[in-house]
């Protein structure tokens, strides 16, 4: 059984609501990602994932691949 964890990323660059599905799609495409939720109004990106399959760095890279910067956040 894999251990799922929740990682919170923050982005200050979410300029339009259309970026939300783009980022969610990129994150959900990663192995081990169960759910990705982007909160446009707060810039918070919550990802439930298996860290042995997709690291926090992989999550950040996936967001970066859509043209936005994100960083791990405690909350």
């Amino acid at each position: 059984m894999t251990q799922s964890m929740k990682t919170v990323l923050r982005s200050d660059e979410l300029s339009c609501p259309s970026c939300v599905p783009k980022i969610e799609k990129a994150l959900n495409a990663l192995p081990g990602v169960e759910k990705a939720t982007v909160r446009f109004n707060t810039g918070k990106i919550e990802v439930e994932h298996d860290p042995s399959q997709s690291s926090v760095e992989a999550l950040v890279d996936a967001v970066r691949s859509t043209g936005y910067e994100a960083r791990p956040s405690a909350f």
Side-chain angles (χ1 to χ4, degrees):
M1 184 171 142
T2 57
Q3 186 64 36
S4 183
M5 67 180 269
K6 182 184 245 183
T7 297
V8 176
L9 304 175
R10 289 239 171 234
S11 177
D12 300 324
E13 300 185 341
L14 304 184
S15 54
C16 60
S18 66
C19 62
V20 170
K22 194 188 304 184
I23 294 171
E24 288 178 348
K25 184 178 175 192
L27 289 167
N28 282 313
L30 292 174
V33 172
E34 293 167 24
K35 184 179 175 193
T37 308
V38 177
R39 308 231 180 268
F40 171 72
N41 54 346
T42 60
K44 189 165 148 181
I45 304 166
E46 297 174 352
V47 187
E48 290 178 34
H49 65 107
D50 177 352
S52 69
Q53 293 185 51
S54 286
S55 65
V56 173
E57 290 77 25
L59 303 178
V60 170
D61 286 344
V63 174
R64 187 173 291 134
S65 76
T66 65
Y68 299 91
E69 286 296 321
R71 63 190 182 282
S73 174
F75 53 88

